[in-house]
Amino acid sequence: MNAIKSANYEDIKLSNAQIAWRAAQDIADGAYVNLGIGFPEMVARYQPPGREAIFHTENGILDFGEAPPAGEEDWDLINAGKKAVTLNPGAAFFHHADSFAMVRGGHLDVAILGAYQVAQNGDLANWSVGAKGVPAVGGAMDLVHGAKRVAVLTEHITRKGEPKLLERCTLPLTGVGCVTRIYTSLAVIDIENARFVLREKLPAISLEGLQSLTGAELVIDGLVTDLNVPEL
Amino acid sequence: MDKTIASPAEAVAGIADRAVVMIGGFGGSGAPIELIHALIDRYVKTGSPKNLTVVNNNAGNGHVGLAALIEVGMVRKLICSFPRSADPRVFTEKYLAGEIELELVPQGTLAERIRAGGAGIPAFYTPTSYGTELAEGKPVAEFEGRPYVRERWLKADFALVKAHVADTHGNLTYNKAARNFNPLMCMAARTTIVQASRIVPPGGIDPEHVVTPGIFVSQVVEVPDPAQEEELNRAGAVYPEGTSP
């Protein structure tokens, strides 16, 4: 990808908050949802009015809420990112084995994670950039198995301009064939029959432009609609 | 029956060199800081215990608790899922210098291995890690058309656990999300040492509210107003006091 395209990408792409907003629109009323550490956590802020999702955190809470005001933290009440949280009415505590029974046992409706790379067959790489440094996996390898839907939120390309959606992941895998939908800074893409099927794209980018930023074929199978997200 | 021990120092006196020690908590939540610091005090005074294998979700934060245990050089091997934190320098430097061994385990697999250890289940199959580096060398089997990885139980010589209320029989409750790995580790260790904010007589905890039944607990020691790792770190604390980070 050349410099001109790169600049153009920065101009039109959705912000992380906007990607999170778009993902939140697909969460049904009554869904049990796990949000990955970092930018996927923003999804909780954009629940459509009238819908109630219940958020799960690996360290043993269902139905936690916003962060408390500074100075009112209870450090026994944190989320998987070790941030202080509050409880909603109807919350529950449980130990780690029960927490991951919820994860692997198919009881979560949606898990939403970040990604380094996603392959067209649904392989996900999001825990290790290779041999350097200290490896850390946390709950990611568990979360990609068992949730009924595994969605990824990601920039469409890396900071260096390289595609993150690929025919095959080159980084160490988190899970095999596990991702079902990708919300990127440019598009919404489903993984069906080991292909990237384009569902929505920003009106500001052409199909050819989007394909040039994608490391595998984008399949058109049915209607491709405009990806419309409010300014946030 | 009375499992009460007078002080953290007495509670940790029997932990030997090369012991496998499970330490409860998720980050600072549920971390038994006073028991860990009592163990460090013993090491500073006597040179023992050393070459410990520690099981925890993380690898410590800052220079207190688990990070301090690692910093003073008591830990030979760490079994954990996420050796990163706001301030992971202590573990990171030892790891990159080759001074500490790391067994990285996915978080749900770590929890289930500990549960299995406590439940007398030597191995189990999980979908987690199939097709990844962390499954290399492990047996795989298909169930209902899907591949699963075989994982082994995890047991310990000692567990150090933080509870909220204990009775003298060792029945426990926890404070909020400080529960996390603690009930599992109680089950999986030969000797389980619990610090609780309050110890009450039998009957002081409603049986409906008991989270960990006393059969899984060996010793309870009262630590009122236990320290929180996060607050210690915000205050720039270092353990043992007077040492430099």
Side-chain angles (χ1 to χ4, degrees), chain A residues 41-42 44-45 55 61 63-75 77-79 81-88, chain B residues 234:
Chain A
E41 290 178 49
M42 284 198 274
R45 290 189 211 156
F55 293 99
I61 315 173
D63 217 356
F64 65 98
E66 291 284 310
E72 290 177 30
E73 298 93 347
D74 177 340
W75 295 109
L77 190 57
I78 59 172
N79 65 12
K82 319 281 190 325
K83 305 269 194 327
V85 295
T86 53
L87 298 177
N88 294 327
Chain B
R234 286 179 179 217

Side-chain angles (χ1 to χ4, degrees), chain B residues 46-111:
Chain B
T46 70
S48 186
K50 58 183 182 298
N51 291 320
L52 299 175
T53 294
V54 169
V55 183
N56 182 268
N57 185 63
N58 300 99
N61 186 8
H63 302 276
V64 297
L66 176 54
L69 194 77
I70 294 168
E71 191 160 30
V72 297
M74 298 169 70
V75 183
R76 181 184 66 82
K77 178 181 177 181
L78 187 70
I79 302 175
C80 81
S81 89
F82 201 76
R84 289 193 200 140
S85 65
D87 179 4
R89 279 174 294 175
V90 167
F91 174 79
T92 301
E93 283 170 18
K94 294 239 186 228
Y95 177 75
L96 295 179
E99 293 169 7
I100 192 165
E101 189 184 334
L102 171 67
E103 180 178 339
L104 192 70
V105 183
Q107 197 173 129
T109 298
L110 182 63

Side-chain angles (χ1 to χ4, degrees), chain B residues 67-239:
Chain B
L69 194 77
I70 294 168
E71 191 160 30
V72 297
M74 298 169 70
V75 183
R76 181 184 66 82
K77 178 181 177 181
L78 187 70
I79 302 175
C80 81
S81 89
F82 201 76
R84 289 193 200 140
S85 65
D87 179 4
R89 279 174 294 175
V90 167
F91 174 79
T92 301
E93 283 170 18
K94 294 239 186 228
Y95 177 75
L96 295 179
E99 293 169 7
I100 192 165
E101 189 184 334
L102 171 67
E103 180 178 339
L104 192 70
V105 183
Q107 197 173 129
T109 298
L110 182 63
E112 193 64 15
R113 287 180 65 191
I114 298 167
R115 198 199 72 82
I121 305 289
F124 58 91
Y125 284 91
T126 175
T128 303
S129 89
Y130 173 74
T132 76
E133 284 176 9
L134 297 188
E136 279 170 17
K138 293 173 183 167
V140 170
E142 253 186 44
F143 297 87
E144 298 182 0
R146 281 186 65 190
Y148 293 81
V149 178
R150 195 170 84 197
E151 294 281 358
R152 295 173 69 90
W153 59 7
L154 198 51
K155 295 187 284 187
D157 301 308
F158 293 88
L160 304 182
V161 161
K162 182 186 188 182
H164 183 47
V165 181
D167 70 19
T168 52
H169 287 184
N171 293 307
L172 307 178
T173 69
Y174 300 89
N175 185 42
K176 306 187 181 77
R179 186 178 306 194
N180 55 63
F181 284 91
N182 282 304
L184 310 174
M185 290 180 171
C186 285
M187 299 165 64
R190 208 172 303 136
T191 301
T192 292
I193 303 166
V194 175
Q195 66 167 75
S197 300
R198 205 151 53 86
I199 298 178
V200 298
I205 303 173
D206 183 336
E208 292 282 9
H209 297 164
V210 171
V211 177
T212 293
I215 191 170
F216 298 125
V217 171
S218 317
Q219 305 176 357
V220 293
V221 56
E222 191 168 78
V223 178
D225 299 319
Q228 285 285 10
E229 183 183 271
E230 182 70 27
E231 286 168 2
L232 293 176
N233 282 337
R234 286 179 179 217
V238 175
Y239 203 86

Side-chain angles (χ1 to χ4, degrees), chain A residues 146-225:
Chain A
K148 295 182 186 92
R149 293 204 298 123
V150 175
V152 158
L153 308 189
T154 182
E155 291 262 353
H156 202 89
I157 54 177
T158 68
R159 280 190 197 137
K160 288 183 183 166
E162 290 157 354
K164 298 181 77 165
L165 279 57
L166 303 168
E167 290 184 354
R168 280 268 167 273
C169 293
T170 57
L171 291 170
L173 294 184
T174 306
V176 175
C178 53
V179 176
T180 55
R181 176 166 264 208
I182 312 163
Y183 302 92
T184 82
S185 46
L186 301 176
V188 177
I189 293 161
D190 282 335
I191 291 176
E192 288 178 4
N193 304 315
R195 307 171 308 166
F196 288 132
V197 179
L198 182 63
R199 295 299 178 205
E200 299 175 19
K201 68 167 186 61
L202 289 179
I205 192 165
S206 67
L207 190 56
E208 295 71 28
L210 186 65
Q211 180 64 71
S212 75
L213 301 178
T214 308
E217 188 191 357
L218 286 172
V219 175
I220 311 296
D221 184 2
L223 200 61
V224 176
T225 55

Side-chain angles (χ1 to χ4, degrees), chain A residues 84-121:
Chain A
V85 295
T86 53
L87 298 177
N88 294 327
F93 297 124
F94 36 87
H95 62 58
H96 246 86
D98 280 355
S99 183
F100 280 88
M102 294 174 195
V103 171
R104 291 182 309 257
H107 307 285
L108 284 179
D109 294 293
V110 194
I112 300 181
L113 301 98
Y116 298 143
Q117 296 176 332
V118 186
Q120 61 186 354
N121 67 342

